Amino acid sequence: PILAADSAEQSKAIWCAPNPGKAWIDTMVHEKLPAAEGKCATPLDKNLALGHAKRIQGTPTLIFEDGERVPGAITMADLEKKFASAKAARAPTASAK
């Protein structure tokens, strides 16, 4: 919830909706935010704390298993290359058989 001043309230309304998945789609696609339905437990504070602890200052930010950090969007081709590289690195070597 970091995009606008009301992002936290909007995020809580979505998380606390009876059907959060539908509420997210309605908000993102149809610009129809659900009515706030009281308080409920959300992961928002934990997510923000993790972002601050890891010094993540933008969205999206991808952090790969090897520790590489990619701030911002990347192409699908670059993402697929990264996954292929990670898969190859985890594959057993012929000498390990």
Side-chain angles (χ1 to χ4, degrees):
I2 58 171
L3 298 178
D6 61 349
S7 291
E9 292 81 24
Q10 289 181 6
S11 295
K12 288 177 185 175
I14 292 168
W15 274 101
C16 295
N19 184 338
K22 180 180 181 315
W24 186 85
I25 294 289
D26 286 345
T27 301
M28 296 295 125
V29 176
H30 306 294
E31 297 183 13
K32 180 182 173 190
L33 185 66
E37 300 204 10
K39 295 182 179 183
C40 71
T42 72
L44 299 172
D45 291 334
K46 285 184 179 182
N47 287 350
L48 285 171
L50 176 64
H52 289 297
K54 300 297 180 185
R55 296 171 46 194
I56 297 170
Q57 299 177 354
T59 182
T61 296
L62 299 173
I63 301 174
F64 293 96
E65 185 176 15
D66 65 2
E68 180 184 356
R69 178 189 298 240
V70 179
I74 62 173
T75 67
M76 180 63 83
D78 287 341
L79 185 60
E80 288 173 347
K81 284 180 197 174
K82 185 64 181 167
F83 288 152
S85 174
K87 184 177 180 180
R90 297 181 113 210
T93 62
S95 62
K97 290 182 179 182

